[in-house]
Amino acid sequence: MKSKGTAGVLHEMDTVKGQLPFVRMEDRRRAIYHGREVPLIDIDGHVKRELEAEELATMIRMLREQKRRLYRSSLYHFAKYCLENADIEQEAHLELCLKLQNFYWGIGQKSEHAKGVRKLLVMMPRNTLKSTICTVAFPLWIYMQQDPSVLDKFSTEGAPAWKAPASFNGKAGYNQRILVSNAVENLAADFITLIQTKLLKAEELIETFGSAAWEKKTPGTWGNGYFDLAWRTDVQGREPNCSSGSMNKQVNSGHYDICINDDMNNEQWVT
């Protein structure tokens, strides 16, 4: 067996959890997602057997930047690997993820969308992770599309610059106002709580993008059924970054960028 030098360790890092290729470029010089080229970093060209601390730190930053590019360019990889949803599978969920991310980027819209009508109906059987992807992963993916204007301690300062495609409305992800609704208010609030938990505790998410949650939760920034991101710079809108709604909750005076309606029908509202 060969001894494990730095290069040997890197070859073991070719996959994340044994599945997702990140490092080696021999077989994959660049990734293409629905016609959009995502530049990947050739770390192999920067790695030697013996690395000084500064070189090793640079390599780690480059690896992290490569992961960020992939997650930002692929909702599927973000939902499955960054948020650690092992049950998400390519055959069942890749097309849904592509439709959602292209919807957010404004790609492939029909002619009526030019008039401001942007609607997407998702119909899949029960227990197929619709809510996991559409209601939890999708908002988090949106929020991570751009770095905050003030970089935190997890900064990738010095890493090669690369920007995700612009959103459909031109706003940064961390400034989007998202309404998550359900037929029952408590269930809608539960979705918000789950998103908040991911922001606070999802290790891969925080390690890759940094912490977008407030260190001290104060009224108006973080509560039951709503929250603002610490990264937010748009102070004009009074609506939080994410808030809950229901059939019994008045939200008609709100100005939201994206509305996610998850299971709005139940026995009470169907006649």
Side-chain angles (χ1 to χ4, degrees), residues 37-72:
E37 293 187 350
V38 182
L40 299 182
I41 301 169
D42 188 357
I43 293 180
D44 286 345
H46 298 267
V47 174
K48 298 179 181 179
R49 286 277 178 183
E50 300 295 333
L51 289 177
E52 300 293 337
E54 183 177 348
E55 293 174 312
L56 181 60
T58 299
M59 183 273 293
I60 292 174
R61 286 198 303 270
M62 295 179 71
L63 174 60
R64 180 169 173 265
E65 176 65 13
Q66 189 164 295
K67 292 168 62 177
R68 288 150 58 90
R69 294 180 181 188
L70 182 57
Y71 288 153
R72 283 175 171 165

Side-chain angles (χ1 to χ4, degrees), residues 75-131:
L75 173 59
Y76 171 79
H77 289 94
F78 178 86
K80 183 176 179 67
Y81 298 102
C82 190
L83 299 183
E84 300 182 357
N85 292 303
D87 291 332
I88 293 178
E89 297 294 342
Q90 180 173 334
E91 292 77 6
H93 303 111
L94 179 59
E95 183 177 358
L96 170 61
C97 291
L98 288 172
K99 286 183 178 296
L100 287 171
Q101 69 183 48
N102 288 342
F103 174 83
Y104 179 70
W105 289 335
I107 300 174
Q109 304 289 3
K110 296 181 180 179
S111 58
E112 60 265 24
H113 294 162
K115 302 177 182 179
V117 179
R118 299 181 177 91
K119 296 180 181 179
L120 183 65
L121 176 64
V122 177
M123 299 181 68
M124 296 174 66
R126 293 182 61 84
N127 300 319
T128 54
L129 304 180
K130 297 187 303 297
S131 296

Side-chain angles (χ1 to χ4, degrees), residues 19 47 70 94 97 123 128 135 139 155 157 168 171 175 185 203 208 226 242 255 264-265 267:
Q19 301 180 59
V47 174
L70 182 57
L94 179 59
C97 291
M123 299 181 68
T128 54
T135 314
S155 165
E157 186 175 0
F168 70 96
K171 296 175 64 173
N175 282 330
E185 171 61 22
E203 294 182 0
T208 304
Y226 72 92
C242 198
H255 299 83
M264 298 299 291
N265 295 326
E267 62 275 6

Side-chain angles (χ1 to χ4, degrees), residues 15-34:
T15 60
V16 171
K17 295 180 176 32
Q19 301 180 59
L20 184 61
F22 275 147
V23 179
R24 296 184 68 180
M25 297 294 107
E26 291 92 339
D27 301 322
R28 191 179 182 197
R29 302 300 303 184
R30 64 176 65 235
I32 300 177
Y33 295 95
H34 252 221

Side-chain angles (χ1 to χ4, degrees), residues 135 180-195 224-226 243-246 249 260 262 264:
T135 314
V180 175
S181 299
N182 188 277
V184 181
E185 171 61 22
N186 289 343
L187 294 180
D190 287 345
F191 284 129
I192 305 297
T193 299
L194 184 53
I195 296 173
N224 182 29
Y226 72 92
S243 54
S244 62
S246 70
K249 184 177 180 180
I260 300 175
D262 190 309
M264 298 299 291

Side-chain angles (χ1 to χ4, degrees), residues 153-164:
K153 64 181 180 180
F154 295 97
S155 165
T156 55
E157 186 175 0
W162 181 78
K163 294 182 179 180

